[in-house]
Amino acid sequence: MNHDEEEEASQKLFEEVFRAASDGILVASPDGTIRFANPRSLEMFGFPNADLVGSSIDVLIPARHRARHRGHLSEYVRNPVARPMNAGLALSARRSDGSEFPAEISLSPAQLDDGPVVVAIVRDVTEAAKLRAFGAGTVQAAENERRRIAQELHDDTAQRLAAVKLALKRVTQLDPAEITGLCDDLRQEIGAVAQDVSRIARGLMPPELERIGVVESVRIWLNSRVGSEGPAVDLMAEPVDPFLDLEQRLILYRIVQEAVSNVVRHASASTLKVRIRGVGGVVETIVEDDGVGFDPVTRTGRIDGLGLMGMRERAVMVGALVSIGSRPGEGTRVRVVMEKRPENGKDENDGVHSEGSTRR
């Protein structure tokens, strides 16, 4: 291969990499004029090539940041050094419709035949930002739950046990008839304290999951959570515990809890359907309502969308898949698919059942 052929091959390779890159690539002149934009950047920013190439880089910068960005660009042109992604900068980029997204941007100086340029590689980190927000929300939720449990134990359980202790000190000062009455009172009080402790523990790990299974646990929870003021609940479910280990049952239970709670809090639905069935080692769960619906794309980017992310994150823990379908005014459908894990040590056909559906 001669020199010209090598040049041509290199040029073709560059063009292919430019087109196929999963990150956006922009090439701009020192004055900020965009000269080249790869397909991913056009998709990311929502501009056709004819509108973006030849425009100022300012069109991709939120208006409130443009003046500062021009200063940064001038400084970069005077001192052009490579700046990697994750350089400690929290950056926002602007789409053609005016919406914004968090971005990581690396800059590199380059030289073309007609002069110097700046090469910017842009990565949309919306999902990473969501995960960070979810992680922060999870930590805060855990702290709030610990605080709630500590408050309950201190304000109620500890105080009642202290009262029992004081009452026991009086035993030696009482005659037999009074002791009998005091013991009856103490038995009732200790029983009430035990119930409270059991209630707190049930919130952490429902004992019903092991004793009566995930379907009946869901049924009990639905009765307590939805109530007479909520939507009419239609539960059709088969026993699926033979397909799932305890961790999977707990994850499925929590996802159903979150999905149903979202319906009760936000959907203004008249009907709520819950379907749980297992076939061939696969458990499919559907939570569906006829409520107001929402746009899943915009909702998951906001704080009130952390519950949706939470369902997906829980599912990932056990290799399950969660899909969420919704449109404004058309209700919402949450579908969970969970496969039997090999370490269960049972054949996939174990637990295939012929029992009819149960309905609430």
Side-chain angles (χ1 to χ4, degrees):
M1 182 181 292
N2 60 38
H3 178 73
D4 290 340
E5 290 174 334
E6 289 179 353
E7 286 288 329
E8 183 179 355
S10 296
Q11 180 65 24
K12 287 182 178 179
L13 176 61
F14 167 78
E15 292 174 356
E16 184 61 29
V17 171
F18 187 75
R19 284 194 300 267
S22 59
D23 290 328
I25 303 176
L26 300 169
V27 180
S29 299
D31 65 355
T33 301
I34 299 171
R35 297 185 55 180
F36 303 101
N38 75 333
R40 175 62 183 127
S41 64
L42 300 176
E43 176 189 358
M44 187 184 302
F45 289 102
F47 283 94
N49 188 66
D51 290 350
L52 193 56
V53 173
S55 299
S56 170
I57 198 77
D58 279 355
V59 299
L60 308 180
I61 308 297
R64 65 186 182 280
H65 296 319
R66 285 174 186 168
R68 185 174 61 179
H69 176 264
R70 293 187 194 106
H72 289 328
L73 179 59
S74 297
E75 176 61 30
Y76 186 83
V77 170
R78 286 193 297 270
N79 182 30
V81 294
R83 191 191 75 190
M85 289 187 180
N86 299 316
L89 299 176
L91 303 174
S92 296
R94 177 184 177 275
R95 300 185 182 94
S96 61
D97 61 4
S99 63
E100 298 179 15
F101 63 93
E104 291 181 351
I105 301 175
S106 69
L107 299 177
S108 300
Q111 185 71 34
L112 300 184
D113 291 342
D114 55 355
V117 293
V118 178
V119 179
I121 298 179
V122 185
R123 180 172 299 163
D124 183 343
V125 293
T126 299
E127 290 302 318
K130 289 178 186 178
L131 290 175
R132 284 194 293 270
F134 175 74
T138 300
V139 171
Q140 186 59 51
E143 288 298 324
N144 291 341
E145 182 66 5
R146 281 193 286 267
R147 191 177 298 112
R148 181 191 68 80
I149 293 172
Q151 195 74 30
E152 282 200 48
L153 292 174
H154 177 271
D155 292 351
D156 183 59
T157 307
Q159 300 299 324
R160 294 168 75 174
L161 289 175
V164 170
K165 181 179 178 181
L166 289 173
L168 287 172
K169 288 184 177 179
R170 296 174 46 216
V171 170
T172 57
Q173 304 169 6
L174 301 177
D175 60 46
E178 292 176 312
I179 290 175
T180 301
L182 177 62
C183 287
D184 289 339
D185 291 342
L186 290 177
R187 273 195 297 269
Q188 292 182 10
E189 185 65 14
I190 292 171
V193 171
Q195 288 182 349
D196 282 345
V197 172
S198 177
R199 173 180 55 80
I200 294 171
R202 186 177 293 110
L204 300 175
M205 175 63 180
E208 294 90 353
L209 283 177
E210 290 190 87
R211 194 177 74 247
I212 61 176
V214 66
V215 168
E216 291 306 312
S217 298
V218 167
R219 188 192 306 280
I220 291 171
W221 184 82
L222 283 171
N223 285 327
S224 65
R225 177 66 179 90
V226 178
S228 59
E229 301 300 320
V233 176
D234 180 8
L235 171 64
M236 295 183 65
E238 304 169 350
V240 295
D241 292 88
F243 294 119
L244 306 175
D245 59 40
L246 182 58
E247 182 185 20
Q248 288 177 307
R249 278 177 266 162
L250 178 60
I251 293 296
L252 179 59
Y253 179 80
R254 295 302 189 201
I255 291 175
V256 171
Q257 279 187 313
E258 183 63 42
V260 170
S261 294
N262 284 341
V263 173
V264 174
R265 288 194 301 261
H266 305 300
S268 300
S270 60
T271 302
L272 167 65
K273 296 180 181 179
V274 180
R275 304 286 184 264
I276 305 175
R277 69 189 190 106
V279 177
V282 177
V283 174
E284 179 188 54
T285 303
I286 296 173
V287 179
E288 187 171 15
D289 69 80
D290 61 354
V292 297
F294 62 93
D295 182 349
V297 175
T298 58
R299 175 68 63 84
T300 52
R302 304 203 310 260
I303 293 300
D304 62 358
L306 291 179
L308 305 181
M309 286 194 66
M311 286 190 279
R312 291 191 172 109
E313 290 300 307
R314 288 183 188 275
V316 167
M317 293 169 61
V318 292
L321 296 176
V322 174
S323 59
I324 301 171
S326 185
R327 289 183 179 178
E330 298 184 13
T332 301
R333 185 177 189 265
V334 176
R335 179 173 179 261
V336 186
V337 177
M338 190 176 291
E339 293 188 7
K340 182 177 181 179
R341 296 199 284 198
E343 56 265 33
N344 283 1
K346 298 177 184 178
D347 185 80
E348 275 76 2
N349 294 318
D350 288 350
V352 174
H353 13 265
S354 58
E355 300 141 65
S357 298
T358 58
R359 185 184 293 268
R360 172 178 179 256

